[in-house]
Amino acid sequence: MKVRDIAHARAGDKGDVSNLSLIAYRIDDFALLERHVTAERVQAHFAGIVHGGVQRYSLPGLGALNFVMHGALGGGVTRSLALDAHGKSLSSALLDIDIDIDLD
């Protein structure tokens, strides 16, 4: 399944940092997100786009994960030559990660 099957995303950006949040539709699916959507996996998913570190913050009371991605916006939204490469586009791409539920 895709992450988008069990969660939605929100995004924000400031300078060259993209801040993405995944929020489970159902609190019961939060553990699945937490187990499979790691900082390392997000960094690998955005290889070639994110040139700095990725930090993950867990918000279990909200059923959410927050990812702070440094060096993700080509110097910043107003400096980047990329077309629409800011947080909203990245949050949509984050929802495209595959989760293999057979491993659970």
Side-chain angles (χ1 to χ4, degrees), residues 71-95:
L73 300 171
V77 173
T78 58
R79 293 183 56 204
S80 176
L81 297 177
L83 181 63
D84 201 26
H86 49 77
K88 289 172 187 57
S89 296
L90 297 176
S91 68
S92 182
L94 182 62
L95 293 171

Side-chain angles (χ1 to χ4, degrees), residues 21-97:
S21 294
L22 283 180
I23 305 104
Y25 292 126
R26 297 178 331 114
I27 198 69
D28 296 342
D29 289 329
F30 174 68
L32 192 61
L33 287 176
E34 194 170 39
R35 188 167 42 252
H36 291 284
V37 189
T38 64
E40 295 79 17
R41 184 137 187 229
V42 169
Q43 187 149 24
H45 187 69
F46 289 112
I49 296 172
V50 175
H51 301 288
V54 174
Q55 298 155 310
R56 184 183 88 166
Y57 298 94
S58 183
L59 303 146
L62 298 175
L65 298 173
N66 179 257
F67 297 90
V68 178
M69 305 188 309
H70 299 271
L73 300 171
V77 173
T78 58
R79 293 183 56 204
S80 176
L81 297 177
L83 181 63
D84 201 26
H86 49 77
K88 289 172 187 57
S89 296
L90 297 176
S91 68
S92 182
L94 182 62
L95 293 171
D96 204 38
I97 291 177

